[in-house]
Amino acid sequence: MADPGNRVSTPDLRQEVAVKELHRRVRLRLLRMHYESGVGHLGGNLSALDLLLTLHHRVMRKDDLFILSKGHAAGALYVTLWSLGRLSEEDLLQFHRDHTRLVGHPQADAIPEILLATGSLGHGLGLSAGLGIGKRLRGEPGRIFCLMSDGEWNEGSTWESLIFLVHHRLVSVIPIIDLNGLQGFGTTAEVADLGCLADKLRGFGLEVREVDGHDPEAIRCALQVEELTRPFAVVARTIKGHGVSFMENRMEWHYLPMSAEQYAQAVAEAKRL
Amino acid sequence: MRSVLATALVGLSKDKDFAFLTGDLGFMALEPVRAAAGERFINAGVAEQNMISVAAGMARLGFRPWVYSIAPFLYARAFEQVRNDVCFHKLPVFLVGNGGGYAYGVMGATHHALQDYGALLGLPNLRVYVPAFAADVPVAAERIVRAGGPAYFRLGRDETPKNAVLPAYAPWRRLLAGRGPALVIVGPLAGGILAAAMDRPDQIRPALWVLSELPLLPDEIPPALLDDIQRSGHLVVVEEHVIEGGVGQALAHALLLCGAAPKRFSHRYALGYPSGFYGSQNYHRKECGLDPQSIIALIEKT
């Protein structure tokens, strides 16, 4: 298999501009949605947004499936679906409110795009493995992309799923890890230090590509995989709160909603990104 | 019961949506299922949480996976996976918990399932099946497939009395008519009590009922059971499960809702390990007053 690694191909300049504009527009919509609904959890949404957008706009095909194992990035998923025209402006206005389908973590049977509900960490990789083995038994095409947090590698069930994935050579299941380095109540290094997660995954037999999780072209290249012979994962180095200076790498933005002043500053910065 | 289920599953494995996952258990019992199901038989290893998530993922694509382990390793170990991945999505994942109640005997408390259906019945969309006799197992298995939603199948040891003529499987069944108290039993305990009660004189013989499917809904209580309760004025509920979330509580609640509360209500249930000593299934049953002699004594004291 050719290994494009982090190689950035020479993209068409116009396309690069279009991608940048798309990401900017969706990031602003994410900030507005969270601000208007008075919702925090922005840090992990901003770290995942470039991954989600690249995956959904430029990588996934008709038969591919997606599982948001880090369910707390639901906001980023909703605005991604909005950018694809699968959720409306009216839908986004209902985010986090009473009588909504757009819950803080993806809800079962809420919208067709949410194949399986998530929110409790450590479920997504096993669900993805089930989808992968099901597709294989049926002889159906398509890959399963599973977006995970780094914190959920604290969960024992995640490692159970990893062992299963490797043992059954489920090459169609592709974990993408949003390695933002911050978890619920501290940095990943402070809470339960795994050292180099990519090396741990390699030790389990996976092929791993490490990538800048905020470089759309690098993400796209890293996910160009065909005819794999062994399971493969992408470890994406990201910044929690990416694009908003006062949020970047700050614990509190895992939780807090923005004030009016903070929102104005966040918008000004996100426009410049 | 396990080998009877294995035979039934070999039949069901012809369905293209059949799949079977085991948590590395089933030696000398599940080999025929493995042979029949081929690659749709998956030994998921000693990793029950992942096994349930994998089954849910497969079910989301249209499979109807059976998931097998010793009962507590399913309902207790992987409870959240059952709740979130299976029940929230109403997926046809069929959990087979071997060793209901004290069935694993002197293997010890870690292997007992004393709060399984009580814990699981709080979950949405899940139905529990507790066969009383080996002959119930294939019929119940087919009903599980037909119902097509989350299911928990509580297996035990077959205790069917010799020469017993059993009515066809149904969620509620009367095995014996009698003019004594109405006696409702859950699971294989029914076998020994049936054997002890069937030769008692009609005057004191209990009207013996077996309940095999839960949740217990008030409008599904058979009118004939209500008659038996009304006539004798005494209802006795017997189950190898703790009081909390058990059938005793559910039936008392249902009868209150129906305005059919009995004058007298007795409940025999699993007490845990009151002496602090351990033994066979029958040892534990005896400690809890769940053995046939204790139940007959309770009934005839009336």
Side-chain angles (χ1 to χ4, degrees), chain B residues 25 48-49 51-52 69-78 110-111:
Chain B
L25 291 166
E48 296 80 10
Q49 298 177 74
M51 175 165 65
I52 304 281
S69 191
I70 294 175
F73 308 157
L74 291 179
Y75 81 84
R77 178 58 168 262
T110 55
H111 284 50

Side-chain angles (χ1 to χ4, degrees), chain A residues 27-267:
Chain A
R27 183 174 293 103
L28 286 166
R29 190 65 191 86
L30 174 72
L31 289 168
R32 179 153 77 85
M33 182 175 79
H34 277 250
Y35 174 66
E36 287 176 349
S37 297
V39 176
H41 256 174
L42 264 163
N45 278 279
L46 288 167
S47 71
L49 188 63
D50 292 320
L51 292 164
L52 275 161
L53 284 170
T54 307
L55 196 55
H56 281 81
H57 279 269
R58 302 177 71 200
V59 175
M60 285 176 66
R61 300 187 291 251
K62 182 171 71 67
D63 297 316
D64 294 338
L65 302 173
F66 176 71
I67 296 292
L68 185 68
S69 193
K70 52 171 292 184
H72 54 286
L77 176 63
Y78 298 151
V79 293
T80 299
L81 293 172
W82 166 82
S83 73
L84 292 161
R86 296 199 216 142
L87 285 177
S88 69
E89 192 60 37
E90 290 69 41
D91 289 328
L92 295 193
L93 293 175
Q94 301 307 314
F95 176 60
H96 245 270
R97 300 179 192 270
D98 284 344
H99 202 65
T100 187
R101 293 176 303 146
L102 302 191
V103 191
H105 299 86
Q107 184 67 39
D109 302 323
I111 54 174
E113 285 76 9
I114 296 170
L115 199 59
L116 288 156
T118 49
S120 176
L121 296 172
H123 289 240
L125 195 56
L127 292 168
S128 301
L131 294 169
I133 211 157
K135 268 183 178 285
R136 181 155 82 190
L137 288 171
R138 292 259 199 256
E140 289 174 1
R143 302 161 294 175
I144 297 93
F145 293 97
C146 178
L147 182 60
M148 310 179 70
S149 74
D150 45 7
E152 75 179 304
W153 290 88
N154 293 177
E155 295 278 8
S157 55
T158 299
W159 295 96
E160 289 184 7
S161 300
L162 184 70
I163 293 167
F164 185 89
L165 204 73
V166 174
H167 178 78
H168 289 274
R169 303 184 83 81
L170 286 173
V171 294
S172 65
V173 178
I174 301 173
I176 303 168
I177 297 129
D178 177 358
L179 197 82
N180 63 32
L182 274 175
Q183 55 186 95
F185 200 10
T187 66
T188 51
E190 288 164 349
V191 176
D193 194 2
L194 276 172
C196 178
L197 180 59
D199 282 349
K200 297 276 186 302
L201 300 180
R202 288 186 185 107
F204 273 72
L206 276 87
E207 179 178 326
V208 180
R209 289 182 192 161
E210 296 175 75
V211 68
D212 174 354
H214 297 301
D215 178 342
E217 188 56 20
I219 298 166
R220 189 188 70 79
C221 288
L223 286 166
Q224 295 306 304
V225 283
E226 305 290 342
E227 294 175 26
L228 288 164
T229 53
R230 60 182 171 133
F232 161 76
V234 169
V235 174
R237 291 180 305 274
T238 60
I239 297 167
K240 199 147 184 169
H242 174 69
V244 180
S245 60
F246 61 88
M247 289 187 194
E248 288 193 353
N249 295 318
R250 305 277 305 187
M251 184 82 265
E252 58 267 37
W253 293 101
H254 187 93
Y255 301 104
L256 296 180
M258 291 173 281
S259 67
E261 294 73 30
Q262 286 167 330
Y263 176 60
Q265 188 187 337
V267 167

Side-chain angles (χ1 to χ4, degrees), chain A residues 133 137 164 168, chain B residues 19-23 38-45 51 54 58:
Chain A
I133 211 157
L137 288 171
F164 185 89
H168 289 274
Chain B
F20 189 96
L21 294 95
T22 172
E39 60 181 0
R40 288 172 295 142
F41 181 101
I42 298 164
N43 184 346
M51 175 165 65
V54 167
M58 294 177 75

Side-chain angles (χ1 to χ4, degrees), chain B residues 187-234:
Chain B
L189 273 174
I193 299 170
L194 172 64
M198 62 198 240
D199 296 328
R200 307 302 293 166
D202 178 60
Q203 279 299 332
I204 53 171
R205 190 170 59 228
L208 194 159
W209 289 79
V210 167
L211 172 61
S212 295
E213 292 184 21
L214 301 165
L216 190 164
L217 301 177
D219 55 4
E220 291 173 4
I221 297 173
L225 172 59
L226 295 175
D227 290 346
D228 285 338
I229 294 170
Q230 196 67 27
R231 179 188 40 71
S232 68
H234 186 190

